[in-house]
Amino acid sequence: MSGGALYQESLRTLRRLALPEASERDVLAALEAAQPGPLALFYEAGAEAGLPRDALLARGAGLFLSFSAGNLADDLIDGECTYHDPPIRVGPCVQFILQNLAFATLCGARARVPGPVLEDAVRTLAMAAGPQALEVRASTWTAPLFRQVAEGIAGQQWAAYLRVLWAGTVLEPRAAAAGRALGVAAHVAEDIRTRDVRFTSMPQADRDVVVDWARAATQALRQQDLRCLDAALRRIEPMLPEGES
């Protein structure tokens, strides 16, 4: 229900644009492809921080729009954008709409995100996208390369998300550390679950290093002692069994 509230808010935000029918349909397809994604966690983390509901809905929807833009970019890179036809022509247009709509939503009065916080978070998201260039060019994977990519496209990304979500709350000082640990742990767990080539192609010794790194991140998350992060851990930790990688 909580994640559903943010998704419905994202749809309302889209429909207020009054885009041409074809454009709205294309954007909706990208939103559907990205959910549920982080919706439940966005809501739970905002609620635990004590955000007023109106600000929580606006911040959560804005962040989900940004996440959806990134998800679409990733699908285009990986050749997995099956929801746009043709992807190479429709996808970039949709990504441009989503990214600008996300920014407009997070800048809005309802979101109540201080300007300097938003500036810093958006810059962090730009930096987070940088290691994607290393990923698309990688012919072999090692633990150092895996960590460099994961720290950017997952760790920094989640640090930025929580910085925006927790801005002005008692949890704001924890955003960077909690976000980086969450991004790293979730990224490694998902690569193991899906048997992504980034992980499976590495030598066993490198995989062990990466799994140990992810386990350390889960311990850092547990030390935060937050209900929203504990809920995420319950999904992540079963994918990181002790003694296996």
Side-chain angles (χ1 to χ4, degrees):
M1 291 295 292
S2 56
L6 293 186
Y7 187 64
Q8 290 303 314
E9 182 66 20
S10 301
L11 296 182
R12 287 190 291 270
T13 302
L14 168 62
R15 285 166 183 151
R16 282 195 289 269
L17 286 183
L19 294 172
E21 183 179 349
S23 293
E24 183 172 305
R25 186 169 59 247
D26 289 338
V27 176
L28 179 59
L31 292 177
E32 290 176 343
Q35 62 102 17
L39 283 166
L41 182 52
F42 283 160
Y43 191 95
E44 292 161 5
E48 189 164 1
L51 277 179
R53 182 171 173 80
D54 205 40
L56 173 53
L57 290 176
R59 292 184 188 187
L63 290 173
F64 179 65
L65 292 166
S66 178
F67 172 84
S68 299
N71 186 71
L72 172 56
D74 196 55
D75 284 348
L76 289 169
I77 290 168
D78 295 340
E80 296 174 354
C81 183
T82 59
Y83 41 91
H84 288 149
D85 185 23
I88 194 61
R89 299 188 66 179
V90 176
C93 174
V94 173
Q95 185 185 353
F96 192 61
I97 293 171
L98 284 168
Q99 199 62 63
N100 283 289
L101 184 56
F103 189 64
T105 303
L106 295 172
C107 285
R110 290 178 62 218
R112 308 181 206 175
V113 182
V117 171
L118 188 57
E119 178 186 0
D120 181 68
V122 172
R123 182 182 292 109
T124 298
L125 286 173
M127 293 168 58
Q132 190 89 55
L134 303 179
E135 178 181 6
V136 299
R137 290 172 169 83
S139 55
T140 58
W141 283 89
T142 62
L145 177 58
F146 186 103
R147 289 185 55 161
Q148 184 179 6
V149 170
E151 284 172 346
I153 66 175
Q156 284 186 296
Q157 183 182 55
W158 270 98
Y161 288 161
L162 292 186
R163 180 82 197 282
V164 169
L165 196 60
W166 288 347
T169 75
V170 295
L171 296 183
E172 183 175 4
R174 304 203 211 178
R180 284 189 168 86
L182 175 62
V184 163
H187 181 84
V188 175
E190 183 65 9
D191 273 10
I192 292 173
R193 185 187 72 82
T194 61
R195 298 194 58 79
D196 194 285
V197 68
R198 286 181 301 228
F199 184 81
T200 59
S201 66
M202 287 191 295
Q204 184 66 49
D206 288 67
R207 281 183 277 163
D208 291 341
V209 167
V210 166
V211 171
D212 287 345
W213 179 52
R215 291 194 187 112
T218 64
Q219 290 305 309
L221 285 178
R222 194 167 300 286
Q223 291 170 9
Q224 294 288 337
D225 193 27
L226 293 172
R227 293 188 306 276
C228 60
L229 299 181
D230 287 343
L233 281 170
R234 287 194 292 273
R235 296 187 289 269
I236 291 169
E237 286 186 317
M239 303 180 205
L240 300 171
E242 252 340 289
E244 294 183 25
S245 57

